């Protein structure tokens, strides 16, 4: 190859941190996490069937999508690997709620995070709006998995 040739690589990868990690299906328990149909889910029920005449024991997972609450099911041989999402919970202080439904949050290092929408859960949404309207100091818990983020909980840390 001569030096005059230029190579252009289109990188669609991030820093190399994977969104999921493999775990043997037989070791995933209730309240654990699993990826079903490319969605991060929390396992609510696991049942294991016995091996057949010549087969594997199968694990039947019933799980709920951690972002939209939909119920998903999957059956996997217990010796096979399943994808498990990396789920992180981070707390941020609520600064502002914009007109278009986005929240402004204060990060630990003093920067603001303005790319999150208000939650779709009516109960949580009502609590956030009411508390913010009363001028309370609110801390929201943001759950993130597989490149998605959503506010999942709220804490009141007293008046401003």
């Amino acid at each position: 190859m001569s030096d005059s040739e230029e190579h252009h690589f289109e990188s669609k990868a991030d820093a190399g941190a994977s969104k999921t990690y493999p775990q043997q299906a037989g070791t995933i328990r209730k309240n654990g996490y699993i990826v079903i149909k490319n969605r991060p889910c929390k396992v609510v029920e696991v049942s294991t069937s016995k091996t057949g005449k010549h087969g594997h024991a199968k694990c039947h997972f019933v799980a709920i999508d951690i972002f939209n609450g939909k119920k998903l099911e999957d059956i996997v041989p217990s010796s096979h690997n399943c994808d498990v999402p990396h789920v992180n919970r981070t707390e941020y202080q609520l600064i502002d709620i914009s007109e278009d439904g986005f929240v402004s949050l204060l990060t630990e290092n003093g920067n603001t995070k303005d790319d999150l929408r208000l939650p779709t859960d009516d109960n949580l949404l009502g609590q956030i709006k009411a508390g913010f309207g009363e001028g309370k100091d609110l801390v929201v818990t943001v759950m993130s998995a597989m490149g998605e983020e959503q506010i999942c909980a709220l804490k009141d840390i007293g008046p401003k």
Side-chain angles (χ1 to χ4, degrees):
M1 284 214 265
S2 68
D3 293 337
S4 63
E5 288 181 41
E6 284 188 35
H7 295 283
H8 296 285
F9 295 104
E10 283 189 38
S11 175
K12 292 183 173 59
D14 51 12
S18 175
K19 294 179 169 77
T20 63
Y21 61 94
Q23 185 175 341
Q24 194 171 329
T27 63
I28 297 172
R29 300 280 167 247
K30 187 176 175 180
N31 293 333
Y33 295 101
I34 188 172
V35 176
I36 299 177
K37 296 187 180 122
N38 283 331
R39 300 291 305 159
C41 302
K42 184 169 186 153
V43 178
V44 291
E45 192 182 320
V46 180
S47 57
T48 309
S49 65
K50 292 265 190 273
T51 56
K53 189 174 176 185
H54 33 222
H56 299 276
K58 301 241 188 333
C59 292
H60 177 236
F61 295 104
V62 178
I64 292 177
D65 188 311
I66 59 177
F67 293 123
N68 63 27
K70 285 198 175 106
K71 189 175 182 181
L72 295 164
E73 293 188 44
D74 200 6
I75 297 174
V76 185
S78 63
S79 58
H80 287 207
N81 280 348
C82 290
D83 282 334
V84 176
H86 289 287
V87 179
N88 293 319
R89 296 170 97 92
T90 319
E91 293 191 340
Y92 299 106
Q93 188 166 350
L94 181 65
I95 303 171
D96 193 22
I97 300 175
S98 65
E99 302 286 317
D100 56 2
F102 281 88
V103 291
S104 187
L105 305 170
L106 185 66
T107 62
E108 276 181 13
N109 56 12
N111 297 334
T112 58
K113 180 175 176 58
D114 303 309
D115 58 352
L116 264 179
R117 285 192 158 282
L118 279 165
T120 48
D121 177 28
D122 291 334
N123 184 18
L124 191 58
L125 180 65
Q127 287 178 333
I128 291 173
K129 284 189 169 175
F132 185 73
E134 293 165 22
K136 291 180 182 171
D137 258 352
L138 300 176
V139 171
V140 295
T141 303
V142 176
M143 189 160 21
S144 62
M146 296 176 68
E148 279 186 69
E149 291 183 309
Q150 186 173 311
I151 296 172
C152 64
L154 173 72
K155 244 189 335 200
D156 181 2
I157 56 171
K160 281 187 179 163

